[in-house]
Short mmCIF file of all heavy atoms in Angstrom, two decimals:
data_model
loop_
_atom_site.label_atom_id
_atom_site.label_comp_id
_atom_site.label_asym_id
_atom_site.label_seq_id
_atom_site.Cartn_x
_atom_site.Cartn_y
_atom_site.Cartn_z
N GLN A 1 -58.24 -41.85 -1.52
CA GLN A 1 -59.27 -40.91 -1.96
C GLN A 1 -58.76 -39.97 -3.03
O GLN A 1 -59.51 -39.09 -3.48
CB GLN A 1 -59.77 -40.10 -0.77
CG GLN A 1 -60.61 -40.90 0.21
CD GLN A 1 -61.17 -40.03 1.30
OE1 GLN A 1 -60.46 -39.67 2.22
NE2 GLN A 1 -62.45 -39.71 1.21
N LEU A 4 -54.08 -39.95 -9.20
CA LEU A 4 -53.33 -39.08 -10.09
C LEU A 4 -52.88 -39.89 -11.28
O LEU A 4 -52.32 -40.98 -11.11
CB LEU A 4 -52.12 -38.49 -9.37
CG LEU A 4 -52.39 -37.71 -8.07
CD1 LEU A 4 -51.06 -37.39 -7.37
CD2 LEU A 4 -53.16 -36.44 -8.36
N VAL A 5 -53.10 -39.38 -12.48
CA VAL A 5 -52.74 -40.08 -13.70
C VAL A 5 -51.94 -39.15 -14.59
O VAL A 5 -52.45 -38.14 -15.07
CB VAL A 5 -53.98 -40.60 -14.45
CG1 VAL A 5 -53.56 -41.32 -15.72
CG2 VAL A 5 -54.80 -41.52 -13.56
N ALA A 14 -33.26 -33.52 -28.36
CA ALA A 14 -32.74 -32.44 -27.54
C ALA A 14 -33.14 -31.09 -28.14
O ALA A 14 -33.07 -30.89 -29.35
CB ALA A 14 -31.23 -32.54 -27.42
N GLY A 15 -33.56 -30.19 -27.27
CA GLY A 15 -34.04 -28.89 -27.70
C GLY A 15 -35.53 -28.83 -27.94
O GLY A 15 -36.08 -27.73 -28.09
N SER A 25 -58.32 -36.91 -9.40
CA SER A 25 -59.69 -37.39 -9.20
C SER A 25 -60.55 -36.41 -8.41
O SER A 25 -61.73 -36.67 -8.20
CB SER A 25 -59.67 -38.75 -8.50
OG SER A 25 -59.06 -38.64 -7.22
N LEU A 31 -55.86 -29.86 -3.38
CA LEU A 31 -54.58 -30.55 -3.30
C LEU A 31 -53.49 -29.50 -3.27
O LEU A 31 -53.16 -28.90 -4.29
CB LEU A 31 -54.39 -31.50 -4.49
CG LEU A 31 -55.52 -32.51 -4.70
CD1 LEU A 31 -55.28 -33.31 -5.97
CD2 LEU A 31 -55.65 -33.43 -3.50
N PRO A 33 -49.68 -28.57 -1.61
CA PRO A 33 -49.33 -28.33 -3.02
C PRO A 33 -49.34 -29.61 -3.86
O PRO A 33 -49.58 -30.70 -3.34
CB PRO A 33 -47.91 -27.78 -2.92
CG PRO A 33 -47.34 -28.53 -1.75
CD PRO A 33 -48.49 -28.70 -0.77
N PRO A 41 -33.08 -43.92 -14.67
CA PRO A 41 -32.58 -45.25 -14.36
C PRO A 41 -31.35 -45.21 -13.46
O PRO A 41 -30.40 -44.47 -13.73
CB PRO A 41 -32.24 -45.84 -15.73
CG PRO A 41 -33.14 -45.11 -16.67
CD PRO A 41 -33.23 -43.72 -16.12
N LYS A 43 -31.03 -43.96 -10.57
CA LYS A 43 -30.95 -42.78 -9.72
C LYS A 43 -32.16 -42.69 -8.80
O LYS A 43 -33.20 -43.30 -9.05
CB LYS A 43 -30.84 -41.51 -10.56
CG LYS A 43 -29.59 -41.41 -11.41
CD LYS A 43 -29.53 -40.08 -12.14
CE LYS A 43 -28.26 -39.96 -12.95
NZ LYS A 43 -28.21 -38.66 -13.67
N ARG A 45 -35.33 -40.76 -6.97
CA ARG A 45 -36.34 -39.82 -7.41
C ARG A 45 -35.97 -38.42 -6.94
O ARG A 45 -35.57 -38.23 -5.79
CB ARG A 45 -37.70 -40.24 -6.86
CG ARG A 45 -38.89 -39.55 -7.51
CD ARG A 45 -40.19 -40.26 -7.14
NE ARG A 45 -40.22 -41.63 -7.62
CZ ARG A 45 -41.26 -42.43 -7.50
NH1 ARG A 45 -42.38 -42.00 -6.92
NH2 ARG A 45 -41.20 -43.68 -7.95
N ALA A 49 -40.69 -29.74 -9.65
CA ALA A 49 -41.46 -28.50 -9.57
C ALA A 49 -42.62 -28.65 -8.60
O ALA A 49 -43.10 -29.76 -8.35
CB ALA A 49 -41.98 -28.08 -10.95
N ASN A 76 -59.30 -30.27 -13.49
CA ASN A 76 -58.65 -31.02 -12.41
C ASN A 76 -57.28 -31.54 -12.85
O ASN A 76 -56.90 -32.67 -12.55
CB ASN A 76 -59.51 -32.20 -11.96
CG ASN A 76 -60.75 -31.78 -11.20
OD1 ASN A 76 -60.92 -30.61 -10.87
ND2 ASN A 76 -61.61 -32.74 -10.92
N MET A 98 -49.95 -34.58 -1.17
CA MET A 98 -50.25 -35.14 0.14
C MET A 98 -51.65 -34.71 0.54
O MET A 98 -51.98 -33.52 0.49
CB MET A 98 -49.23 -34.68 1.18
CG MET A 98 -49.38 -35.38 2.52
SD MET A 98 -48.01 -34.97 3.63
CE MET A 98 -48.43 -35.98 5.05
N ASN A 103 -49.11 -39.56 1.29
CA ASN A 103 -48.67 -39.22 -0.05
C ASN A 103 -49.42 -40.03 -1.11
O ASN A 103 -49.70 -41.21 -0.92
CB ASN A 103 -47.17 -39.47 -0.20
CG ASN A 103 -46.34 -38.32 0.31
OD1 ASN A 103 -46.52 -37.18 -0.10
ND2 ASN A 103 -45.40 -38.63 1.20
N GLN A 107 -48.83 -43.10 -11.74
CA GLN A 107 -48.08 -44.25 -12.23
C GLN A 107 -46.82 -43.85 -12.98
O GLN A 107 -45.95 -44.69 -13.23
CB GLN A 107 -48.97 -45.11 -13.13
CG GLN A 107 -49.07 -44.67 -14.59
CD GLN A 107 -49.82 -43.37 -14.77
OE1 GLN A 107 -50.60 -42.95 -13.92
NE2 GLN A 107 -49.60 -42.71 -15.91
N GLN A 110 -43.13 -41.80 -19.11
CA GLN A 110 -41.74 -41.84 -19.55
C GLN A 110 -41.43 -40.69 -20.49
O GLN A 110 -42.14 -40.46 -21.47
CB GLN A 110 -41.44 -43.17 -20.25
CG GLN A 110 -40.04 -43.27 -20.84
CD GLN A 110 -38.98 -43.41 -19.78
OE1 GLN A 110 -39.09 -44.26 -18.90
NE2 GLN A 110 -37.95 -42.58 -19.86
#
Side-chain angles (χ1 to χ4, degrees):
Q1 289 185 283
L4 304 171
V5 180
S25 61
L31 306 175
K43 296 184 178 180
R45 194 167 298 184
N76 289 352
M98 188 172 183
N103 277 306
Q107 84 291 340
Q110 176 71 51

